[in-house]
Amino acid sequence: MADNPLVQLQQHGQSVWYDNIRRGLIASGELAVLIADGVTGVTSNPTIFERAIAGSRDYDERLRALVAEGKEVGEIFEALALEDIRAAADLLRPVYDRTEGRDGYVSLEVSPGLAHDASGTVEEGRRLFGAVGRPNVMIKVPATAAGVRVIEELIAGGVNVNVTLLFSVTRYEAVANAYLAGLEQRLREGNLVDQIASVASFFVSRVDSLVDRRLEAKSRETRNEGEARRLEWLRGKAAIANAKMAYARFRAIFSGPRWAALEARGARVQRLLWASTGTKDPAYSDVYYVEALVGPDTVTTLPPATLAALREHGAIHDALAEDLPQAEAVLRELAAVGIDLAQVTGQLEEEGVKAFADSFRDLFACIAGKRGLLTSGVRERQAAVLHQDAVAVEATLADLETRRAAARIWSRDASLWKSAGEHQAGIRKSLGWLTVAEMIREHLADLSEFAREVTAAGVRDVLLLGMGGSSLCPDVLRLTFGAAPGFPRLHVLDTTDAASIRAVEETLDLPRTLVIVASKSGTTPEIVALHQYFFARVQAILGGRAGEQFVAITDPGTPLAAIARAQSFRRIFLNPPDIGGRYSALSYFGLVPAVLLGLDVGKLLDRAERMTHACVSCVPTRENPGLWLGGVLGALALRGRDKVTLVCSPEIAAFGYWVEQLIAESTGKDGKGILPVEGEEVAGPAGYGNDRLFVCLRLERTRATRLDAKVKALEQAHPVVTIRLQDLYDLGGEFFR
């Protein structure tokens, strides 16, 4: 255990709480394993519950029972949430007992709709605390101005509190003083204080996300090289500096005479908890914030991806008390370049409260939709007619379950694909697509603002220069959704054929065209040539302002990133480097063009994240839509049915282009492969041999179509997988699947 980073953090006085909860995580034993490994607490929020309920069958049986009891949506959610919170609290109770109440907590959120209602939040907090009926639960209260008043009352009333959505040092001081005031009130009323616990959840990476955007905007505006370097130096430093200043205040508040009097009566410190620790910028290490904020009397909350990264390559040492003068210098420099941190943290608090309220709304809508689906008799959204191949598929699914395939995928265990050799390191560094949707979600506001900026600038057309993986997803979205009213048309050039280039160029008004140069490596020869050609054409018209019409999407540190800076591109989007081109649909490569088309990218990501939760490690293989489909494809390919014919409803036919490259380039490396067949006119059953598997993606409609009849006929003689999409946005989930 000595080399376990979670244990090392505990040795440095920091606890690790898992930022995730769902029924399958508890029922499968996975949470118990995490606790044994060093996790000492769990946090929840409405977004986590929404993804778990929408993206799994974990709750279906209980949902049916609650619907049968006539429960309303709010009552259904509370019943499901309380059951999960109690079960997790019971698993953590030994930790709570062993640490004498320091750790072992599960957090449950009050309704964000009460964020500015102090009396309503107090009433709700007391009710939920009593409803859970466990001493090791904390009620989450947002750190709004009203929330500060709530903290004092709940602490005085004996309710453990997790204060959430803290961004500013000033607000943190108010929260810490409210905690002390609550303890003092308890003592005045003759109550004990030695069993009361609280944490102050200080959000980290979101501060950098907003500050860095403002620094980048200032950098684009300046023509002074020294100023540009100064702005670049400040990137990625605001959040850690802000957190270190909060920790300095924590140490001061919990060391003075006021605290000493409470400590003498057995009171516990209100520990600082680092929230939003997942790295949002691919230019930074995936354990950047975790490693920088290690120190005594703190808690770090880790989402699954960050926990996995920490276990794999985290380096632990006391870092919080280091370089406090530098942190102060960073904050002074930010002010000097015009970044008002008080305004930044105020905006983040406002956005945070709204985001949590939106999550509750989405959660209730999700439960309502799931309730309707479970009671409507509608068939499963995926099904297979397998005939004599069913036994082989069942054996394959059982084998995947035995080999713990889902858990190994999520832990980035390269031995699932290669037992040994040089390829393993490459595989481990190529699985960023598993969590990229979560990362991109943090940048939705920036993407939306970028789209507004582009349309306001009068851009009529967007020209994407890309090859293969960097162009296929945008082309699918262009052909499937088209451009929303008021948004520019998208053109995709993935060829160096002169006639094709000329034909596209003739449709463009170049001064009103935004050119996206998309290349993971930044050195793809075809894209380099296209970039040079179109930059010269725009430069001939706009001169030194040509760069304003260009955007780059590339990995950090590539030649393209350097050239884009030198040519003063309007924007540079740096993609996570651990994503291969053909797996980049849900990254900047797919979603920057999507937002410029006017798509609801948040909705697309919602569907992707629901599918993500349906495919996580605690979901049994037969219920895991990704593994299930993979098991069917693999089992039948090994039995000779290695020609996968894609049959799509006309509205989503373009999705086949993307799947074709994904399968063709990802298999066949060791003499075993699958040949995707896309765009073929569907024939009768007799028109095919016994080497075919059909996968039908059907967009739900009220009436059957001619294509449905053809697929029904194929089912009589061939294996057929059918996947039903409720609308076009379900493609987000299918990209992930």
Side-chain angles (χ1 to χ4, degrees):
M1 298 286 283
D3 60 347
N4 180 345
L6 277 62
V7 173
Q8 292 173 19
L9 285 173
Q10 292 175 23
Q11 292 168 347
H12 287 268
Q14 185 171 78
S15 300
V16 176
W17 291 5
Y18 194 47
D19 192 21
N20 188 28
I21 191 170
R22 64 180 288 173
R23 192 149 299 186
L25 187 70
I26 299 165
S28 67
E30 191 170 328
L31 181 56
V33 171
L34 289 169
I35 294 169
D37 196 41
V39 167
T40 59
V42 168
T43 56
S44 71
N45 62 52
T47 301
I48 290 173
F49 276 117
E50 192 270 337
R51 302 285 182 263
I53 293 169
S56 77
R57 301 178 184 176
D58 293 359
Y59 300 86
D60 289 3
E61 184 177 346
R62 183 68 178 125
L63 252 169
R64 286 191 183 94
L66 291 167
V67 170
E69 293 171 17
K71 300 292 186 186
E72 296 299 323
V73 168
E75 295 173 310
I76 290 172
F77 163 65
E78 185 167 308
L80 297 176
L82 289 177
E83 289 164 4
D84 282 2
I85 295 294
R86 290 188 192 111
D90 290 345
L91 279 176
L92 284 160
R93 184 60 187 265
V95 176
Y96 175 81
D97 293 336
R98 185 181 72 247
T99 61
E100 299 181 334
R102 176 181 172 86
D103 273 310
Y105 290 94
V106 185
S107 296
L108 176 64
E109 194 133 16
V110 296
S111 169
L114 299 170
H116 302 292
D117 178 355
S119 60
T121 302
V122 170
E123 182 180 343
E124 180 78 347
R126 288 172 175 165
R127 186 185 67 80
L128 287 174
F129 188 72
V132 175
R134 303 291 190 275
N136 55 326
V137 67
M138 286 186 175
I139 301 303
K140 292 178 77 173
V141 175
T144 58
V148 172
R149 300 196 298 276
V150 168
I151 295 159
E152 181 176 345
E153 288 197 48
L154 288 180
I155 292 297
V159 176
N160 301 322
V161 178
N162 178 341
V163 186
T164 188
L165 291 178
L166 267 170
F167 297 97
S168 79
V169 176
T170 301
R171 183 57 58 83
Y172 163 67
E173 289 192 63
V175 163
N177 285 317
Y179 172 66
L180 298 181
L183 293 176
E184 290 163 343
Q185 183 179 334
R186 276 190 70 75
L187 289 173
R188 286 195 301 271
E189 294 170 354
N191 296 313
L192 298 174
V193 295
D194 59 342
Q195 296 299 310
I196 303 299
S198 180
V199 293
S201 297
F202 202 85
F203 281 58
V204 186
S205 64
R206 292 186 192 178
V207 174
D208 274 345
S209 294
L210 183 52
V211 169
D212 284 1
R213 287 204 301 271
R214 295 186 178 186
L215 290 170
E216 288 164 12
K218 290 179 178 294
S219 185
R220 289 194 297 272
E221 293 166 3
T222 186
R223 292 293 179 264
N224 183 306
E225 277 194 36
E227 181 70 3
R229 284 194 298 271
R230 183 189 191 191
L231 294 166
E232 179 63 24
W233 179 82
L234 283 168
R235 287 188 73 251
K237 291 186 169 65
I240 291 171
N242 193 41
K244 287 189 173 186
M245 298 308 295
Y247 187 65
R249 292 305 304 141
F250 159 79
R251 295 175 73 178
I253 291 168
F254 289 94
S255 63
R258 183 183 184 190
W259 169 245
L262 290 166
E263 188 177 32
R265 303 292 294 274
R268 301 184 178 117
V269 298
Q270 181 192 52
R271 289 181 292 172
L272 268 170
L273 177 151
W274 308 123
S276 184
T277 58
T279 304
K280 308 302 189 294
D281 190 322
Y284 310 148
S285 160
D286 52 6
V287 289
Y288 179 57
Y289 298 105
V290 180
E291 291 180 342
L293 299 176
V294 177
D297 289 321
T298 59
V299 179
T300 185
T301 54
L302 304 179
T306 308
L307 176 59
L310 179 69
R311 285 302 316 267
E312 184 183 65
H313 51 257
I316 307 303
H317 73 285
D318 278 330
L320 265 173
E322 292 178 349
D323 299 325
L324 195 59
Q326 184 184 25
E328 293 169 338
V330 165
L331 298 181
R332 285 196 302 271
E333 279 291 287
L334 286 168
V337 299
I339 302 293
D340 183 345
L341 198 59
Q343 193 279 328
V344 166
T345 56
Q347 178 180 329
L348 288 170
E349 179 187 305
E350 184 179 333
E351 290 174 352
V353 170
K354 181 181 182 301
F356 276 117
D358 290 346
S359 292
F360 251 92
R361 182 201 63 216
D362 294 345
L363 169 62
F364 279 34
C366 157
I367 292 173
K370 198 77 179 275
R371 178 178 62 178
L373 184 66
L374 292 172
T375 57
S376 66
V378 173
R379 292 172 293 170
E380 291 284 351
R381 296 211 180 273
Q382 59 185 35
V385 176
L386 298 172
H387 304 296
Q388 67 270 25
D389 296 304
V391 174
V393 168
E394 186 59 31
T396 295
L397 296 177
D399 179 57
L400 289 170
E401 186 74 26
T402 300
R403 292 165 58 201
R404 299 177 58 253
R408 290 166 68 189
I409 288 171
W410 283 98
S411 64
R412 307 192 183 199
D413 179 356
S415 69
L416 186 62
W417 293 274
K418 296 284 185 181
S419 58
E422 61 185 36
H423 295 293
Q424 285 206 354
I427 292 170
R428 280 194 295 273
K429 294 176 181 176
S430 301
L431 292 168
W433 58 269
L434 286 165
T435 53
V436 70
E438 181 182 346
M439 185 278 286
I440 291 290
R441 179 172 291 285
E442 294 291 332
H443 298 276
L444 272 182
D446 181 42
L447 286 172
S448 298
E449 178 58 34
F450 173 64
R452 284 193 292 270
E453 172 194 312
V454 168
T455 53
V459 171
R460 290 183 175 179
D461 294 276
V462 174
L463 174 62
L464 175 73
L465 311 177
M467 300 296 293
S470 61
S471 64
L472 275 170
C473 174
D475 212 23
V476 170
L477 299 177
R478 174 183 71 87
L479 293 168
T480 304
F481 290 89
F487 286 84
R489 298 177 301 170
L490 175 66
H491 311 264
V492 176
L493 259 184
D494 58 357
T495 178
T496 53
D497 175 69
S500 299
I501 295 169
R502 189 176 301 111
V504 169
E505 186 179 355
E506 287 173 354
T507 69
L508 304 174
D509 177 7
L510 283 178
R512 304 186 72 176
T513 297
L514 184 74
V515 182
I516 300 176
V517 186
S519 171
K520 174 178 171 61
S521 68
T523 58
T524 309
E526 297 91 338
I527 301 173
V528 170
L530 288 168
H531 165 212
Q532 290 174 345
Y533 173 75
F534 279 100
F535 194 85
R537 296 285 291 114
V538 175
Q539 193 173 40
I541 303 168
L542 299 180
R545 294 175 45 241
E548 296 174 9
Q549 302 299 111
F550 283 77
V551 168
I553 307 174
T554 188
D555 282 5
T558 66
L560 174 57
I563 292 169
R565 281 190 287 271
Q567 294 181 342
S568 301
F569 275 26
R570 179 185 287 268
R571 285 295 296 269
I572 304 171
F573 292 95
L574 297 179
N575 213 54
D578 57 353
I579 302 176
R582 60 186 176 277
Y583 298 94
S584 63
L586 296 169
S587 73
Y588 282 134
F589 283 103
L591 298 185
V592 170
V595 77
L596 292 173
L597 279 169
L599 272 64
D600 185 342
V601 173
K603 191 173 182 179
L604 199 68
L605 287 172
D606 282 341
R607 305 299 173 82
E609 290 187 274
R610 288 182 182 182
M611 184 63 76
T612 302
H613 279 262
C615 296
V616 294
S617 55
C618 64
V619 178
T621 300
R622 291 168 184 81
E623 297 176 12
N624 185 312
L627 276 184
W628 174 81
L629 180 60
V632 173
L633 293 172
L636 268 66
L638 292 172
R639 288 170 61 81
R641 290 191 178 272
D642 56 0
K643 313 295 187 299
V644 174
T645 302
L646 302 166
V647 181
C648 302
S649 294
E651 299 91 332
I652 54 173
F655 183 69
Y657 308 160
W658 181 84
V659 176
E660 179 182 40
Q661 188 199 36
L662 184 75
I663 295 175
E665 286 201 13
S666 300
T667 69
K669 307 300 185 186
D670 293 309
K672 296 177 185 177
I674 295 174
L675 178 68
V677 181
E678 186 277 326
E680 182 178 80
E681 180 70 26
V682 179
Y688 303 102
N690 60 2
D691 59 351
R692 295 280 186 143
L693 163 64
F694 295 87
V695 177
C696 174
L697 281 87
R698 185 191 189 280
L699 192 65
E700 291 286 12
R701 298 189 196 83
T702 54
R703 293 183 301 172
T705 66
R706 185 165 166 266
L707 187 62
D708 291 324
K710 289 185 175 183
V711 171
K712 195 71 177 174
L714 289 173
E715 289 178 349
Q716 307 308 309
H718 299 281
V720 177
V721 170
T722 300
I723 296 170
R724 296 178 177 84
L725 284 69
Q726 58 181 325
D727 59 32
L728 297 180
Y729 280 95
D730 265 359
L731 286 179
E734 295 311 314
F735 281 128
F736 184 86
R737 185 206 297 254

